[in-house]
Amino acid sequence: MKQIQMNMPLVEMDGDEMTRILWQMIKDELLLPFIDLKTEYYDLGLEHRDETDDAVTTEAAEAIRKYGVGVKCATITPNLARMEEYKLKKLYKSPNATIRAILDGTVFRTPILVKGIRPCVSNWKKPVTIARHAYGDVYKNTEMRIADKGCAKLVFEKEDGTKSEETIFQFEGPGIVQGMYNLDSSITGFARSCFAYALDQKKDLWFASKDTISKIYDGQFKEIFQKVYDEEYREQFEAAGITYFYTLIDDAVARIMKSEGGMIWACKNYDGDVFSDMLSSAFGSLAMMTSVLVSPEGFYEYEAAHGTVQRHYYKHLAGEETSTNSVATIFAWSGALRKRGELDGNEDLCRFADALEAAVIRTIEGGTMTGDLVRITELKDVTKVNSLEFIQAVRKELESAL
Ligand code: NAP
Ligand code: MG
């Protein structure tokens, strides 16, 4: 069979533990036999991050800015236990946080639906994609315990020394107070990423906040979204036949629960923290969830939503069989290859990405799956396979489709 050619490389970011093992299997079984795979390789495995004082992570992010599309394996975010385990020089930041900061991007997560694994919410027929604004608000707050009587104030002092001041509360006894902020530039970038991704996916975009209560703070989010929509995206949305819809966060939650799904739901930072966990558990499994970082300038980084599956890796190291789900990692590759194909006008590559995803779905719907799915499926005759067997089963499906 003739291999599919690539014009431009993908930025490939290798990772850690069990997902690093899956990464190689996916390349060997599902990519290299079919594609003349061009990648610029960055090893984000923890050892190599330590060797390079984490410069490799920054270089990988810069490469995504250069080539436009990256695909990333799950990586360890070091904590004290990992520092000990890997004898690290220091506690590095999470690679995802480093890359997100350089690309100024927003993460979109979408469940992968297959027959036989039903979402808890029975009326959800299509996946709900969630986007979380990952900057500021309560995650960068400043808070204080109030011990006594006194006045808490919000003060802004300009560089020239002039001040504006608001009373927060006149305390008559002990309590608490909190200050937080966000930036117009960050909210604008978030809005652009959301509108751009909605167009990319041809899906409606929902955004919600609580501007009836927080008239200035949440009101600013609402206004910026509306302004970006009107000035930059309205025409494109109308041409694509999709809509932008703003509502209050409690109304959005109620509507999402009653909907069929299929929309992109943009959330403020805290809402996104809470509702992304709600959605992923309602749809079944983190291993059946895609994740893509989209920058306001239109750079894309694809990854799996789960971590490095440490417990399975230790079993693997001990020579025991593992049944680790590679679906999210396969979809990271297919997502990146499709985007590469779209950007380069390479239709063969786009078709291959579609065929690969379809082969994964057919494999599972045909009853061949890893242990995590065997536990939750409604299908009757299922075969539990190990990590490699699953990927090989997908390869069989893929070969017969191509
Ligand atoms: P995890 O790797 O997501 O795994 C947690 C548990 O979820 C696993 O033990 C497993 O349950 C189940 N699971 C997750 N993915 C699975 C898969 N593909 N197939 C089958 N089961 C799966 O989270 P963690 O163990 O808390 O974190 C491990 C490391 O990942 C940490 O060092 C963390 O820093 C890192 N992490 C990285 C990312 C990222 O790079 N995006 C995200 C999150 C965490 P059972 O053990 O019950 O089978
Ligand atoms: Mg959370």
Side-chain angles (χ1 to χ4, degrees), residues 55-178:
V56 65
T57 307
T58 307
E59 286 161 14
E62 294 299 344
I64 298 174
R65 297 187 69 90
K66 177 170 168 198
Y67 293 111
V69 191
V71 55
K72 179 179 168 292
C73 181
T75 47
I76 293 169
T77 299
N79 54 18
L80 288 174
R82 298 301 201 158
M83 194 151 164
E84 183 72 12
E85 184 184 352
Y86 285 82
K87 306 275 174 278
L88 299 179
K89 287 182 256 177
K90 61 177 201 191
L91 261 189
Y92 300 100
K93 274 209 308 195
S94 137
N96 290 350
T98 303
I99 295 168
R100 198 168 60 213
I102 292 172
L103 297 180
D104 183 24
T106 298
V107 174
F108 295 83
R109 291 192 159 180
T110 310
I112 300 160
L113 297 192
V114 293
K115 288 196 200 87
I117 298 166
R118 268 201 309 190
C120 301
V121 181
S122 55
N123 44 286
W124 285 352
K125 304 278 180 280
K126 292 181 246 169
V128 177
T129 298
I130 196 156
R132 172 180 174 187
H133 182 218
Y135 182 82
D137 296 356
V138 73
Y139 302 86
K140 291 277 180 200
N141 71 1
T142 306
E143 38 186 31
M144 214 186 257
R145 230 184 275 282
I146 305 293
D148 233 321
K149 280 190 184 183
C151 186
K153 291 180 183 172
L154 202 55
V155 181
F156 174 69
E157 188 176 336
K158 270 193 13 181
E159 275 185 336
D160 67 9
T162 53
K163 288 182 187 173
S164 36
E165 216 174 90
E166 293 286 340
T167 295
I168 298 173
F169 193 65
Q170 188 72 47
F171 284 87
E172 296 298 333
I176 43 188
V177 67
Q178 177 185 66

Side-chain angles (χ1 to χ4, degrees), residues 28 36 40 93 186 245:
D28 290 343
D36 183 22
E40 195 164 289
K93 274 209 308 195
S186 175
F245 172 62

Side-chain angles (χ1 to χ4, degrees), residues 11-279:
V11 178
E12 173 186 354
M13 291 159 280
D14 210 340
D16 288 302
E17 299 194 314
M18 198 60 212
T19 39
R20 189 178 178 101
I21 307 291
L22 298 178
W23 194 258
Q24 196 58 48
M25 290 178 186
I26 291 167
K27 285 176 68 179
D28 290 343
E29 297 286 334
L30 300 176
L31 304 177
L32 294 169
F34 307 99
I35 307 174
D36 183 22
L37 191 68
K38 278 201 182 68
T39 72
E40 195 164 289
Y41 179 86
Y42 293 86
D43 184 0
L44 265 52
L46 188 50
E47 278 120 354
H48 192 240
R49 273 183 275 151
D50 194 41
E51 278 163 27
T52 62
D53 298 313
D54 210 21
V56 65
T57 307
T58 307
E59 286 161 14
E62 294 299 344
I64 298 174
R65 297 187 69 90
K66 177 170 168 198
Y67 293 111
V69 191
V71 55
K72 179 179 168 292
C73 181
T75 47
I76 293 169
T77 299
N79 54 18
L80 288 174
R82 298 301 201 158
M83 194 151 164
E84 183 72 12
E85 184 184 352
Y86 285 82
K87 306 275 174 278
L88 299 179
K89 287 182 256 177
K90 61 177 201 191
L91 261 189
Y92 300 100
K93 274 209 308 195
S94 137
N96 290 350
T98 303
I99 295 168
R100 198 168 60 213
I102 292 172
L103 297 180
D104 183 24
T106 298
V107 174
F108 295 83
R109 291 192 159 180
T110 310
I112 300 160
L113 297 192
V114 293
K115 288 196 200 87
I117 298 166
R118 268 201 309 190
C120 301
V121 181
S122 55
N123 44 286
W124 285 352
K125 304 278 180 280
K126 292 181 246 169
V128 177
T129 298
I130 196 156
R132 172 180 174 187
H133 182 218
Y135 182 82
D137 296 356
V138 73
Y139 302 86
K140 291 277 180 200
N141 71 1
T142 306
E143 38 186 31
M144 214 186 257
R145 230 184 275 282
I146 305 293
D148 233 321
K149 280 190 184 183
C151 186
K153 291 180 183 172
L154 202 55
V155 181
F156 174 69
E157 188 176 336
K158 270 193 13 181
E159 275 185 336
D160 67 9
T162 53
K163 288 182 187 173
S164 36
E165 216 174 90
E166 293 286 340
T167 295
I168 298 173
F169 193 65
Q170 188 72 47
F171 284 87
E172 296 298 333
I176 43 188
V177 67
Q178 177 185 66
M180 60 188 195
Y181 71 93
N182 221 299
L183 300 175
D184 286 4
S185 58
S186 175
I187 301 166
T188 305
F190 175 55
R192 286 202 177 111
S193 294
C194 291
F195 288 121
Y197 194 61
L199 273 176
D200 184 79
Q201 297 288 301
K202 303 255 184 306
K203 288 180 177 174
D204 292 341
L205 178 70
W206 292 22
F207 177 57
S209 72
K210 194 72 182 175
D211 67 293
T212 45
I213 301 297
S214 167
K215 291 189 167 60
I216 293 180
Y217 200 105
D218 281 22
Q220 186 83 335
F221 277 83
K222 178 184 177 181
E223 269 174 37
I224 288 177
F225 263 74
Q226 194 60 48
K227 183 166 183 287
V228 171
Y229 178 65
D230 290 337
E231 290 177 2
E232 301 173 34
Y233 291 96
R234 180 185 285 278
E235 279 175 26
Q236 298 178 70
F237 265 53
E238 284 169 2
I242 55 174
T243 55
Y244 166 59
F245 172 62
Y246 175 86
T247 186
L248 290 169
I249 184 65
D250 37 354
D251 181 50
V253 172
R255 285 173 186 255
I256 291 273
M257 296 307 283
K258 296 205 162 147
S259 76
E260 281 203 339
M263 70 292 283
I264 295 171
W265 184 15
C267 289
K268 287 182 61 202
N269 208 349
Y270 177 81
D271 300 339
D273 187 352
V274 175
F275 293 123
S276 59
D277 283 10
M278 181 190 86
L279 281 177

